[in-house]
Amino acid sequence: AAGILTHPTLMRVAAAHGAGWTAADVALRWNAQRGVVIIPKSTSTAHLARNLSAVDGSWRLTDTEMDSIAAADEGRRRVPDFIGVWPTTSRAAA
């Protein structure tokens, strides 16, 4: 996950949203806006609260940010698609 957490596109989008936002927050928000169910792991209540704030809808990525993140797709999955149901696009259907 280190590559994701230091990806220049995610870091740029995080910086645009103000101090304190991270690439991890942006990755969670991007997936939430695409309708992906997110189950982040956390052993810390502070991290759990942070993860929830990234997906609670209190802030949104712009269409331009969504598109720039989708364009950064390197064609690699972090989790294999065992049953062939994952969408082939990085954007959720409208």
Side-chain angles (χ1 to χ4, degrees), residues 3-70:
I4 293 170
L5 300 180
T6 59
H7 195 285
T9 300
L10 296 176
M11 292 177 68
R12 178 182 46 77
V13 171
H17 283 270
W21 293 109
T22 67
D25 298 326
V26 171
L28 289 172
R29 181 70 235 154
W30 181 72
N31 278 296
Q33 277 185 230
R34 292 176 39 232
V36 174
V37 175
I38 303 164
I39 307 171
K41 176 186 172 241
S42 180
T43 57
S44 153
T45 55
H47 286 149
L48 179 59
R50 184 65 179 201
N51 291 342
L52 290 173
S53 72
V55 299
D56 68 3
S58 61
W59 64 287
R60 295 188 58 79
L61 300 172
T62 66
D63 288 343
T64 301
E65 291 169 332
M66 292 290 291
D67 290 341
S68 70
I69 295 167

